[in-house]
Amino acid sequence: MKLVFLGTPEFAVPSLEALVQAGHEVCAVYTQPDRPAGRKQELKPPPVKEAALRLGLEVRQPQRIRHCADELAALRPDAMAVVGYGQIIPQAIIDIPPLGILNVHASLLPKYRGAAPIQWAIANGETETGVTIMRIDAGLDTGDILLQEAVAIGPEETAPELAARLAPLGARLLVKALEGLAAGTITPVPQDHSRATLAPILKREDGLVDFRWPAAKIANRARGFQPWPGAWTWWRGQRLYLWRCRPAEAESPAVPGKMFSHGRRLLIACGEGTVLEVLELQPEGKKRMDAAAFLNGHRITERDILGENQP
């Protein structure tokens, strides 16, 4: 089958590789332009570009895909595949391939429509998610479902860890969906829009912790909001990131946000009488460290209540 692939992040790489390995003709790969990265702000190619070049495929990096309708039509693809491309696909492009545009979406649609389904599923304490292969329409992840498969979320699994598991699953389902469309054995199923939930693009303020929440909610957000924006709070006028934490069985002080220690364990009082144990954290401007290293370098006092003394 003749295909055009649109994708950008590491999550999309297994899908591109799987299409090539399955014998499909990927006539062009569209991905985002190279972006400045790191302290030196040197241009860095997207992971999909690196993979496409390694596979010997043609790479195109337009600023806006909406301006590419004519050149895409000239390629005459049977279908197109989109995996985390990062731009809305306009109707003029949706109408080009006769078999449609297939999207690999990392949730069990209609749940968690939007840009950050993995992160929000974990942050909201879900124990199950999955991958949906959807045929794109003009809405936000509202198209018909072609294939879907569920997986369990581990109790301490982070967003990057879950993404690494879902990416190859999405690749396998994408190849299977294309085979089914070509053979006429897949019947698209409309989504039940009444059951839809949203997973909007993350903002820095989404990571701000409110210690009136129960400890489990904070721990889930710390797992889900990695690598960005992280779960963070204010401590002594600077940001403090909580990278690994878990609910703890301990007696809680009355004030949510109060830091205290028990031996070499770093604990924080939270809402509903719960306590959070912090395993790994990072004061602003410093490297990540475990709780023992933090306690060795900082003396916790009665005045250390997280979220106070904002700059």
Side-chain angles (χ1 to χ4, degrees), residues 204 207-209 211 218 222 229-244 257-259 266-268 276 278 280-290 294-295 298 300 304-309 311:
R204 180 180 288 276
L208 179 60
V209 171
F211 287 97
I218 298 170
W232 58 274
T233 184
W234 296 107
W235 176 66
R236 298 181 181 178
Q238 294 186 312
R239 282 191 178 90
L240 180 69
Y241 291 87
L242 311 178
W243 290 116
R244 284 201 307 127
K258 186 170 186 338
M259 300 176 74
L266 176 61
L267 306 171
I268 304 172
L276 186 74
V278 180
E280 187 178 3
L281 67 168
Q282 182 179 12
E284 188 173 359
K286 298 185 179 180
K287 294 182 178 180
R288 293 191 189 192
M289 61 186 75
D290 61 26
F294 178 82
L295 290 171
H298 301 88
I300 302 301
D304 280 314
I305 300 176
L306 297 176
E308 296 188 347
N309 300 319

Side-chain angles (χ1 to χ4, degrees), residues 76-79 95-100 135:
R76 301 177 63 86
D78 299 307
D95 293 337
I96 291 172
L99 292 179
R135 181 180 272 159

